[in-house]
Coordinates of all heavy atoms in Angstrom, one line a residue:
E393 N -1.5 43.3 17.2 CA -2.2 44.5 17.6 C -1.4 45.1 18.7 O -0.9 44.4 19.6 CB -3.6 44.0 18.2 CG -4.4 45.2 18.6 CD -5.9 44.7 19.1 OE1 -6.2 43.5 18.9 OE2 -6.5 45.5 19.8
I394 N -1.2 46.4 18.7 CA -0.4 47.0 19.7 C -1.4 47.6 20.8 O -2.4 48.1 20.4 CB 0.4 48.3 19.0 CG1 1.0 47.8 17.7 CG2 1.3 48.9 20.0 CD1 2.5 47.6 17.7
S395 N -0.9 47.4 22.0 CA -1.7 47.9 23.1 C -0.8 48.4 24.2 O 0.1 47.8 24.5 CB -2.6 46.8 23.6 OG -3.2 47.1 24.9
D396 N -1.2 49.6 24.8 CA -0.4 50.1 25.9 C -1.0 49.5 27.2 O -0.4 49.7 28.3 CB -0.6 51.6 26.1 CG 0.2 52.3 25.0 OD1 1.1 51.7 24.4 OD2 -0.2 53.4 24.7
N397 N -2.0 48.7 27.1 CA -2.8 48.2 28.3 C -2.5 46.8 28.7 O -3.2 46.2 29.4 CB -4.3 48.4 28.1 CG -4.6 49.9 28.1 OD1 -3.9 50.7 28.6 ND2 -5.8 50.2 27.5
S398 N -1.6 46.2 28.0 CA -1.5 44.7 28.2 C -1.2 44.3 29.6 O -1.6 43.2 30.1 CB -0.5 44.0 27.2 OG 0.8 44.4 27.5
H399 N -0.5 45.2 30.4 CA -0.3 44.8 31.8 C -1.6 44.7 32.6 O -1.5 44.1 33.7 CB 0.7 45.8 32.5 CG 0.3 47.2 32.4 ND1 0.4 47.9 31.2 CD2 -0.2 48.0 33.3 CE1 -0.1 49.1 31.5 NE2 -0.5 49.2 32.7
F400 N -2.6 45.4 32.1 CA -3.9 45.3 32.8 C -4.5 43.9 32.8 O -5.4 43.6 33.6 CB -4.8 46.3 32.3 CG -4.6 47.7 32.6 CD1 -4.7 48.8 31.7 CD2 -4.2 48.1 33.8 CE1 -4.5 50.1 32.0 CE2 -3.9 49.4 34.3 CZ -4.1 50.4 33.3
F401 N -4.0 43.1 31.9 CA -4.6 41.8 31.8 C -4.5 41.0 33.2 O -5.3 40.1 33.5 CB -4.0 40.9 30.7 CG -4.6 41.2 29.4 CD1 -3.8 41.7 28.4 CD2 -5.9 40.8 29.0 CE1 -4.3 42.0 27.1 CE2 -6.4 41.1 27.8 CZ -5.6 41.8 26.8
D402 N -3.5 41.3 33.9 CA -3.3 40.7 35.3 C -4.0 41.3 36.4 O -3.9 40.9 37.6 CB -1.8 40.7 35.6 CG -0.9 40.1 34.7 OD1 -1.2 39.1 34.1 OD2 0.3 40.7 34.5
L403 N -4.9 42.3 36.1 CA -5.5 43.1 37.1 C -6.2 42.3 38.2 O -6.0 42.6 39.4 CB -6.6 44.0 36.4 CG -7.1 45.2 37.1 CD1 -6.0 46.3 37.1 CD2 -8.3 45.8 36.4
F404 N -7.0 41.3 37.8 CA -7.7 40.5 38.8 C -6.8 39.3 39.3 O -7.0 38.8 40.4 CB -9.0 40.1 38.3 CG -10.0 41.2 38.0 CD1 -10.4 41.5 36.7 CD2 -10.5 42.0 39.0 CE1 -11.2 42.6 36.4 CE2 -11.3 43.1 38.8 CZ -11.7 43.4 37.4
T405 N -6.2 38.7 38.3 CA -5.5 37.5 38.7 C -4.3 37.7 39.7 O -4.1 36.8 40.4 CB -5.0 36.7 37.4 OG1 -4.3 37.7 36.5 CG2 -6.1 36.1 36.6
C406 N -3.6 38.7 39.5 CA -2.4 38.9 40.4 C -2.8 39.0 41.8 O -1.9 38.8 42.8 CB -1.6 40.2 39.9 SG -2.3 41.8 40.5
I407 N -4.0 39.3 42.1 CA -4.6 39.4 43.5 C -4.3 38.1 44.2 O -3.7 38.1 45.4 CB -6.1 39.8 43.6 CG1 -6.3 41.2 43.1 CG2 -6.5 39.6 45.0 CD1 -7.8 41.6 43.0
A408 N -4.6 37.0 43.7 CA -4.4 35.7 44.3 C -2.9 35.4 44.6 O -2.6 34.8 45.6 CB -5.0 34.5 43.4
N409 N -2.0 35.8 43.7 CA -0.6 35.7 43.9 C -0.1 36.5 45.0 O 0.7 36.1 45.9 CB 0.2 35.9 42.7 CG -0.3 35.1 41.5 OD1 -1.4 35.3 40.9 ND2 0.5 34.1 41.1

Side-chain angles (χ1 to χ4, degrees):
E393 185 177 345
I394 312 255
S395 164
D396 290 336
N397 289 341
S398 69
H399 57 285
F400 285 139
F401 280 112
D402 300 323
L403 200 71
F404 297 114
T405 48
C406 78
I407 293 173
N409 304 74

